[in-house]
Amino acid sequence: MANVPVYDMNGKQVSETELNDAVFGITPNEAIMHACVVNYLANQRQGTQSTLTRTEVAGGGRKPYRQKGTGHARQGSIRAPQWYHGGVALGPKPRSYRYSLNKKVRRLAMLSAFSQKVLDQSLVVIDTLAVDGFKTKTIVNMLKALEINGKALIVTQDADKNVYKSAANIPGVKTAAVNTLNVYDILNYDAFIVSKGAVAKIEEVYAK
């Protein structure tokens, strides 16, 4: 089992914690992680795009000119797709892009994402993650103390309104509770900041 340092919010190492290899020490499966990221992004699509077909655009009720004798190709409506201001042929219509993945696939993807963060040395464990009220400066000072400059995902054991509100206005910083984690967010952020309680809960959920 790997040992990682535990820091306080001032950036000082206060102890070490042992990570469960069944959760944080597997060989990451890149194909599975990719499949879950694609699934997540597909499920976020609203699917509201819509184009007008020749039956929905205005005009074109009569035949523009007679069938024969003009030297032109025969036409039945000025709103056919080949005409300017005509309808769109085979254009997109509202639809759902949602699809689901097997539960075992999703679980393996999460374990792979956790393990990838350990391999990348971007997992940061915080002893206690607590904010007194809505104070953005507290989170900013914590990130500076931990020398985190890129995008950061802050994970709490349970939903913490104070932490969420305090980090909401910081560009590139997102907060999440353990039960709302997904593979896309874990991989999308450079730093994976997790409270010690959140690590214990992750291991409790995913080490089964």
Side-chain angles (χ1 to χ4, degrees), residues 19-94:
L19 299 177
N20 191 330
D21 282 345
V23 179
F24 294 96
I26 73 167
T27 300
N29 188 319
E30 293 185 6
I32 292 295
M33 288 191 291
H34 177 266
C36 275
V37 168
V38 172
N39 172 249
Y40 174 83
L41 293 175
N43 290 347
Q44 301 309 303
R45 297 184 66 174
Q46 291 183 332
T48 55
Q49 74 278 40
S50 182
T51 53
L52 299 180
T53 65
R54 62 185 294 168
T55 64
E56 296 168 316
V57 291
R62 68 180 178 84
K63 191 175 177 64
Y65 44 78
R66 66 180 188 270
Q67 179 84 343
K68 295 178 177 290
T70 64
H72 296 293
R74 55 193 176 190
Q75 301 291 332
S77 169
I78 62 171
R79 291 299 174 252
Q82 72 271 20
W83 283 73
Y84 182 64
H85 286 314
V88 176
L90 307 176
K93 283 293 184 182

Side-chain angles (χ1 to χ4, degrees), residues 91-167:
K93 283 293 184 182
R95 53 164 288 197
S96 173
Y97 289 88
R98 294 191 65 87
Y99 67 96
S100 61
L101 293 176
N102 186 285
K103 184 177 180 180
K104 290 183 178 180
V105 170
R106 298 197 305 270
R107 183 177 181 276
L108 178 57
M110 289 293 289
L111 297 178
S112 296
F114 292 140
S115 300
Q116 187 65 56
K117 286 300 175 184
V118 175
L119 289 175
D120 294 341
Q121 297 183 347
S122 55
L123 173 66
V124 180
V125 181
I126 302 295
D127 184 28
T128 303
L129 188 56
V131 180
D132 184 18
F134 304 156
K135 296 182 178 178
T136 301
K137 189 175 182 180
T138 303
I139 301 296
V140 171
N141 290 338
M142 180 190 76
L143 295 175
K144 286 182 178 178
L146 294 170
E147 299 181 352
I148 295 173
N149 300 316
K151 296 192 298 182
L153 177 64
I154 301 174
V155 182
T156 56
Q157 182 174 357
D158 299 299
D160 190 323
K161 190 175 182 180
N162 287 348
V163 174
Y164 173 78
K165 289 288 188 180
S166 298

